Amino acid sequence: MDHHTAHNEHHGHDHGHGHAHGHEQGHAHDEPEEVHLKEEQDHFRKVVATFASYRVHSHGINKRKKESYAALPEEHKAYIPYYMDRLARIDQAISDNYTFIKAIVADHQIFVEQEEQEVSHLKIKANKERPAVSEFDMDKVRSTLKQFVRDWSEKGKHEREAAYSPILEELERFYGDVPVEERGKLRVLVPGAGLGRLAYDICKKGFSCQGNEFSFYMLLAANFILNRTTETEQFEIYPFVHSQSNAIKEEHILQKVLIPDVLPSGLPSTCDFSMVAGDFLEVYGSESDNIGNWDCIVTCFFIDTAKNMIQYLKTIHGVLKKGGVWINLGPLLYHFENTPGEMSIELTLEEVKELATKIGFNIQRESMMESAYTANVNCMLRYTYNCAFFSAIKE
């Protein structure tokens, strides 16, 4: 889940041990159920269609690069004779990515068009058979590939250590006295769980943990990695082939990433691990059966997905038991700040902490920590977030 484009869909939930699937697409509460269901089906179809279009779309972009090279004067081509060979290797990497993407959506019957039909039928049947796929939609797929690096590869370890380790250490600080075999009684909620690695790591420490996610791109990918992998480094992907900007060496563009680095199984039998699909506010809001039900809530690169921070913090406060713990790490890159037609209330970090205190939290510890998000460590451009880290007790 790319932090910039992660949270743009909504609703519904499903419970199960290590499972991730469900519904999305927000709806008005007075909307007929059949209308809501059709919206969800259409949205799901759009997501699967985007995954299905990955190869054709990506090869199309690479074709434009080949045309740019072809347009060079012959004497200029002679200076960079290797360029077409690199584009051919990128084409192969795209095809390899597509093999992996097909495996992700293999369970879903909507993925009906065969390989050979894809090119010939996509344009002709786009309006009737397949929803149109935009560059924005395709960016979700590319972001999902990078999210696999962050959550489930050895190459993503440095990011996990920066973002997840402080949270896991804080859990130990609060619950270190509880023996691992008894921690299953403690329930931890992780909204915005993405591909589920943080929730999985929390379970590995013995806690019962539920991840919540409402991007269908993330949910399909999480379901695959959590439930369909049988060995470590089972799959290879090439997540950085979609841009040649800011590359230092060719091998950095074409670097292969093996996933998963650990097999997502072998959790303590005393803990319960689940993934729930849906909008955080709808699933865990004031009318849900989650009120006062959780010992701890962990938000990692999540609270800035809020349109209304007050509602987010009240919901976080509401789901916790008295004396429950909220652990947060992340920036304040407000996702809806510049989205036309969407409300967005942007508070400073000081105002967020002040608001948390007014709502009923006692902030225990706080610091600032640097962390990247799905960054290519070999790139000439890297965003580093100066993240707020704090823990708070529900008074």
Side-chain angles (χ1 to χ4, degrees), residues 95-161:
S95 294
D96 291 345
N97 284 346
Y98 186 61
T99 300
F100 175 66
I101 285 167
K102 280 197 296 183
I104 291 174
V105 291
D107 285 344
H108 305 279
Q109 287 86 0
I110 297 172
F111 197 84
V112 287
E113 293 185 1
Q114 299 301 311
E115 273 272 340
E116 61 271 14
Q117 292 179 302
E118 188 177 294
V119 180
S120 58
H121 286 232
L122 188 60
K123 289 177 185 168
I124 302 167
K125 294 190 173 182
N127 295 330
K128 293 180 183 174
E129 298 290 323
R130 261 196 190 161
V133 171
S134 68
E135 183 65 24
F136 178 78
D137 298 323
M138 193 54 63
D139 197 51
K140 302 284 191 68
V141 176
R142 295 189 288 257
S143 295
T144 302
L145 288 172
K146 288 182 193 166
Q147 188 73 16
F148 275 111
V149 183
R150 175 179 169 87
D151 264 17
W152 294 104
S153 82
E154 184 64 30
K155 280 190 165 77
K157 189 177 179 182
H158 66 286
E159 277 195 21
R160 292 195 300 276
E161 285 180 346

Side-chain angles (χ1 to χ4, degrees), residues 6-243:
H7 293 78
N8 296 291
E9 309 95 31
H10 298 264
H11 194 245
H13 42 232
D14 167 76
H15 299 265
H17 187 84
H19 287 272
H21 51 274
H23 325 298
E24 306 170 70
Q25 205 58 39
H27 65 288
H29 289 286
D30 56 353
E31 210 171 63
E33 187 60 32
E34 59 271 20
V35 174
H36 170 222
L37 190 62
K38 184 178 186 307
E39 282 180 358
E40 288 187 335
Q41 288 170 340
D42 288 348
H43 180 65
F44 178 73
R45 187 177 176 82
K46 173 73 167 282
V47 170
V48 178
T50 306
F51 275 119
S53 304
Y54 165 82
R55 190 176 65 99
V56 167
H57 188 278
S58 301
H59 279 165
I61 291 171
N62 212 34
K63 183 169 178 276
R64 291 202 295 276
K65 296 179 191 296
K66 293 173 189 172
E67 288 165 353
S68 294
Y69 181 82
L72 288 174
E74 291 303 318
E75 62 171 306
H76 290 188
K77 287 179 190 173
Y79 281 106
I80 52 169
Y82 49 80
Y83 196 76
M84 284 296 281
D85 288 339
R86 175 157 79 234
L87 296 180
R89 285 191 285 275
I90 287 173
D91 269 339
Q92 183 55 54
I94 287 165
S95 294
D96 291 345
N97 284 346
Y98 186 61
T99 300
F100 175 66
I101 285 167
K102 280 197 296 183
I104 291 174
V105 291
D107 285 344
H108 305 279
Q109 287 86 0
I110 297 172
F111 197 84
V112 287
E113 293 185 1
Q114 299 301 311
E115 273 272 340
E116 61 271 14
Q117 292 179 302
E118 188 177 294
V119 180
S120 58
H121 286 232
L122 188 60
K123 289 177 185 168
I124 302 167
K125 294 190 173 182
N127 295 330
K128 293 180 183 174
E129 298 290 323
R130 261 196 190 161
V133 171
S134 68
E135 183 65 24
F136 178 78
D137 298 323
M138 193 54 63
D139 197 51
K140 302 284 191 68
V141 176
R142 295 189 288 257
S143 295
T144 302
L145 288 172
K146 288 182 193 166
Q147 188 73 16
F148 275 111
V149 183
R150 175 179 169 87
D151 264 17
W152 294 104
S153 82
E154 184 64 30
K155 280 190 165 77
K157 189 177 179 182
H158 66 286
E159 277 195 21
R160 292 195 300 276
E161 285 180 346
Y164 300 169
S165 292
I167 290 168
L168 297 169
E169 287 162 13
E170 197 71 354
L171 275 169
E172 286 290 346
R173 197 174 78 82
F174 279 105
Y175 301 112
D177 294 342
V178 182
V180 172
E181 58 273 13
E182 290 179 26
R183 288 181 181 178
K185 296 170 188 169
L186 293 165
R187 303 180 71 225
V188 182
L189 175 63
V190 183
L195 298 188
R197 180 59 180 264
L198 178 57
Y200 167 80
D201 284 347
I202 289 168
C203 278
K204 284 293 276 188
K205 288 190 166 289
F207 301 96
S208 287
C209 189
Q210 184 169 98
N212 162 238
E213 177 57 55
F214 76 0
S215 163
F216 243 136
Y217 296 91
M218 290 295 107
L219 288 162
L220 287 173
N223 178 59
F224 179 78
I225 203 77
L226 292 171
N227 297 305
R228 302 259 302 280
T229 47
T230 55
E231 56 188 279
T232 57
E233 301 191 339
Q234 185 175 352
F235 305 99
E236 57 183 53
I237 56 173
Y238 300 84
F240 304 114
V241 294
H242 305 107
S243 173

